[in-house]
């Protein structure tokens, strides 16, 4: 999409699309495509689009986003019920809801997911992007400040990565059982998501997206911010897929769809603590934490598919507790690269993110969120202090924790956003579907270190290629766990190859050949570029591929005549009898089309197909987590 449009609230988009006649709804996707080619001019808070020589469309965003349908005006004869207003709203980014407010006066502006998504400089272990109301990073998802998504991401991402709405906080005194309104909202969300799953990315146009946004708005005002955030993440991923956005990842869409369906499925019958978790929280509270002495660890860029960018700096206190300082706002890759040079927003310190990652911070009157974000309220004071090298106390204690224990903590989501602190020896490279990744030895365990983000403006891949030319060097690294059947992690920072007292933020700094030590002439390790023998992996990809195909192409791709018995038998032979049954049910649900008394096909049972797909998606996720734990030797 070439238009530079302000973000539009989900409820506005849903209302404008619903107001169209059936004939105009059929033309909405074509209208969006035509609108993208029209001249667009921004004048302060107003964006003006020339629909034709005599007609102009205006979007008014006095607060940075369009929050009411009246703020989109068109001069054509069919206005206000014209196609142009709905097309503009559907083409614009999805607006974040009210920003989270610290216990002081600071407001953190930023995206979703991440879930776990995300999208997110990398995928978030444990629940995927969009699965939590407050994922910190994500996939393509990368770490993401409040308001939170939903990996990447992972990426982001981004990571993420949609963001949970903030304008309707959940009432302080919640019932122990779901309310009738919340049950209705959950059922509507399930139905809207099932329709998107049935259609796939190609069929889920602006109309189905608007229905999902309407369900998200209903869920938000009903006190269900978690599922509302995940639904917005699904719409964001659908738009990225349909516009051929290079940041789009099918795994992120699958994770977001799975989280929406799972949450909406469980909500009507949940009670107590489970219900509170499924509802999520509209705001994360900042609580006083006294005085803190923090040591900079590293900084990483944030670049999400939802249009947010910036940087997050990780710090640790003397006890090894991790805290983050973030600066994320609407923007692109330029902001992600430049944010590291901006001053951190804590107290009156003039430290930039890049400087803080190598220095320290003394904070008084500190406020910290449950996810470890430092507040920046009026009562917070902060001054620069001495930092510490990774090999010095107190930071070295992070690397002394056994790797298996770190992986267990990452898989259970008990803190650290999936970060792993590892001592590795580089041994070569191995080719994967997404490109080459580093091979490294970690206490006898062969692991793969991949780039945390693929965007060409970020130097992750260039730095990994350079490190691959120096096998045999031993480094301390910080990576984010990437659950898979083989030990794999996303590399975010590394000890400087030529200076053990310094480190390199691999998403912000660029290594040079002069930074690498001279190659050892007696090295016996594998040469860079070697491809070791790959381990035999469980054939779970047979089921996972069908899950991804359905998310991408819809129900019909699995309804074609064919015999899934061979794949089911293969899964059963390898100890995955349950996976074989799930595969059979998925194909049967996709092909289930009955006829009425006149022999006409009746509409497909979307509920059955959604349940079969959700069971298969949930099963593959849990098996992946178990295989990941086994590969790392974690409990």
């Amino acid at each position: 999409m070439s238009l530079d449009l302000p973000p539009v609230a989900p409820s506005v988009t849903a209302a404008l699309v619903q107001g169209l006649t059936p004939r105009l709804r059929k033309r909405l996707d074509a209208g969006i495509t035509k609108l993208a080619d029209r001249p667009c001019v921004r004048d302060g808070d107003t964006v003006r689009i020339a629909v034709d020589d005599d007609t102009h469309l205006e979007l008014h965003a006095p607060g940075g986003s369009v929050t009411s349908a009246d703020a989109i005006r068109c001069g054509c004869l069919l206005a206000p019920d014209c196609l142009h207003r709905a097309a503009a709203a559907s083409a614009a980014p999805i607006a974040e809801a009210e920003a989270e407010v610290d216990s002081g006066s600071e407001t953190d502006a930023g995206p979703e997911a991440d879930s776990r998504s995300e999208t997110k400089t990398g995928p978030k272990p444990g629940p995927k992007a969009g699965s939590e109301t407050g994922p910190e990073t994500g996939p393509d998802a990368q770490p993401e400040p409040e308001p939170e998504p939903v990996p990447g991401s992972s990426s982001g991402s981004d990571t993420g990565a949609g963001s949970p709405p903030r304008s309707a906080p959940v009432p302080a005194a919640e019932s122990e059982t779901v309310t009738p309104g919340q049950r209705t909202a959950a059922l509507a969300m399930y139905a809207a998501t099932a329709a998107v799953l049935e259609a796939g990315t190609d069929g889920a146009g602006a109309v189905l997206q608007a229905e999902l946004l309407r369900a998200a708005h209903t869920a938000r005002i009903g006190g269900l911010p978690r599922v509302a955030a995940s639904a917005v993440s699904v719409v964001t991923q659908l738009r990225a897929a349909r516009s051929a956005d290079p940041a789009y990842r099918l795994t992120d869409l699958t994770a977001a769809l799975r989280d929406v369906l799972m949450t909406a499925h469980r909500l009507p019958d949940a009670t107590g603590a489970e219900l509170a978790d499924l509802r999520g929280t509209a705001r994360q509270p900042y609580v006083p934490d006294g005085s803190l002495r923090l040591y900079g660890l590293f900084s990483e860029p944030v670049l999400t598919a939802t249009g947010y960018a910036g940087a997050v700096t990780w710090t640790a206190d003397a006890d090894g507790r991790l805290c983050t300082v973030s600066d994320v706002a609407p923007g692109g890759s330029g902001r992600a690269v430049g944010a590291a040079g901006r001053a951190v927003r804590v107290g009156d310190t003039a430290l930039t993110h890049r400087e803080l990652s190598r220095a320290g911070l003394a904070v008084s009157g500190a406020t910290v969120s449950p996810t470890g974000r430092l507040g920046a309220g009026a009562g917070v004071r902060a001054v620069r202090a001495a930092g510490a090298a990774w090999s010095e106390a107190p930071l070295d204690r992070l690397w002394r924790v056994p790797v298996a224990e770190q992986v267990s903590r990452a898989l259970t989501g008990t803190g650290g956003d999936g970060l792993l602190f590892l001592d590795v020896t580089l041994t070569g490279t191995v080719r994967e579907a997404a490109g080459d990744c580093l091979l490294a030895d970690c206490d006898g365990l062969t692991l793969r270190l991949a780039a945390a983000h693929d965007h060409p403006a970020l130097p992750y891949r260039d730095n990994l290629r350079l490190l691959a030319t120096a096998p045999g060097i031993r480094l301390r690294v910080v990576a984010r766990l990437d659950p898979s059947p083989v030990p794999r992690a996303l590399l975010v920072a590394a000890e400087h190859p030529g200076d053990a007292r310094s480190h390199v933020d691999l998403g912000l700094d660029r290594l040079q050949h002069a930074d690498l030590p001279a190659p050892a002439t007696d090295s016996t390790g594998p040469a860079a570029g070697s491809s070791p023998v790959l381990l035999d992996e469980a054939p779970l990809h047979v089921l996972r591929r069908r899950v991804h195909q359905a998310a991408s192409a819809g129900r019909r791709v699995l309804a074609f005549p064919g015999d899934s018995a061979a794949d089911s038998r293969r899964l059963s032979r390898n100890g995955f009898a349950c996976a074989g049954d799930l595969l059979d049910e998925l194909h049967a649900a996709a092909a289930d089309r009955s006829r009425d008394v006149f022999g006409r096909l009746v509409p497909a049972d979307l509920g059955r197909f959604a349940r079969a797909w959700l069971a298969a998606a949930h099963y593959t996720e849990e098996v992946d987590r178990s295989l990941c734990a086994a590969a790392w030797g974690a409990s």
Side-chain angles (χ1 to χ4, degrees), residues 77 112 231 610:
L77 296 177
E112 148 202 185

Side-chain angles (χ1 to χ4, degrees), residues 95-454:
E96 306 297 333
E98 179 181 317
E100 175 173 342
V101 180
D102 178 1
S103 55
S105 61
E106 169 67 7
T107 297
D108 264 341
E112 148 202 185
D114 249 353
S115 191
R116 279 164 287 278
S117 201
E118 58 189 12
T119 274
K120 322 170 117 262
T121 48
K124 180 182 176 77
K128 301 297 180 183
S131 67
E132 298 179 293
T133 305
E136 304 310 309
T137 63
D140 294 17
Q142 315 259 17
E144 299 181 341
E146 284 89 9
E148 291 121 330
V150 171
S153 37
S154 161
S155 66
S157 206
D158 9 120
T159 6
S163 303
R166 307 286 178 182
S167 58
V170 180
E174 290 182 313
S175 63
E176 291 298 316
T177 58
V178 67
T179 66
Q182 290 175 338
R183 177 177 284 103
T184 301
L187 294 176
M189 179 68 74
Y190 191 91
T193 310
V196 168
L197 179 63
E198 195 270 344
T201 54
D202 290 340
V207 174
L208 285 181
Q209 293 173 26
E211 290 300 321
L212 193 53
L213 290 177
R214 174 174 294 280
H217 176 65
T218 303
R220 176 175 60 83
I221 63 177
L224 302 174
R226 171 176 166 174
V227 73
S230 299
V232 171
S233 178
V234 169
V235 175
T236 301
Q237 294 294 334
L238 288 174
R239 292 183 178 181
R242 293 173 62 84
S243 62
D245 188 335
Y248 165 72
R249 296 291 181 271
L250 178 56
T251 52
D252 294 340
L253 174 62
T254 303
L257 283 169
R258 181 184 62 243
D259 186 67
V260 176
L261 287 172
M262 180 65 75
T263 307
H265 172 72
R266 291 165 56 194
L267 263 167
D269 301 316
T271 58
E274 182 190 17
L275 177 58
D277 177 61
L278 294 175
R279 280 170 171 161
T281 55
R283 296 176 184 273
Q284 287 199 16
Y286 284 86
V287 297
D289 205 356
S291 297
L292 297 176
R293 176 67 169 88
L294 302 174
Y295 299 84
L297 268 172
F298 68 94
S299 291
E300 59 180 331
V302 175
L303 184 58
T304 73
T306 54
Y308 282 79
V312 170
T313 298
W314 291 80
T315 65
D317 64 10
D319 296 325
R321 184 179 62 159
L322 300 179
C323 296
T324 58
V325 181
S326 58
D327 178 9
V328 175
S333 59
R335 194 180 195 285
V337 174
R342 298 168 62 94
V344 299
R345 297 183 297 167
V346 178
D348 298 324
T349 179
L351 280 172
T352 65
H353 284 271
R354 181 176 277 108
E355 291 170 340
L356 176 58
S357 70
R358 294 163 174 81
L361 204 63
V363 186
S364 62
T367 57
V368 183
S369 78
T371 54
R373 288 198 179 104
L374 288 177
V380 179
R381 298 289 182 268
V383 296
R384 180 172 185 158
W390 287 1
S391 57
E392 300 174 345
L395 297 184
D396 65 329
R397 67 184 300 162
L398 296 171
W399 278 265
R400 294 203 301 266
V401 179
V403 174
E405 183 180 332
Q406 295 188 51
V407 173
S408 297
R409 182 180 59 196
L411 286 173
T412 55
T414 55
D417 194 43
L419 293 179
L420 304 178
F421 301 90
L422 310 171
D423 287 300
V424 302
T425 300
L426 303 184
T427 59
T429 61
V430 64
R431 183 169 297 280
E432 293 184 340
D436 290 350
C437 67
L438 284 174
L439 279 179
D441 176 82
C442 179
D443 293 333
L445 182 70
T446 300
L447 63 99
R448 305 179 182 199
L449 298 173
H453 205 291
D454 290 328

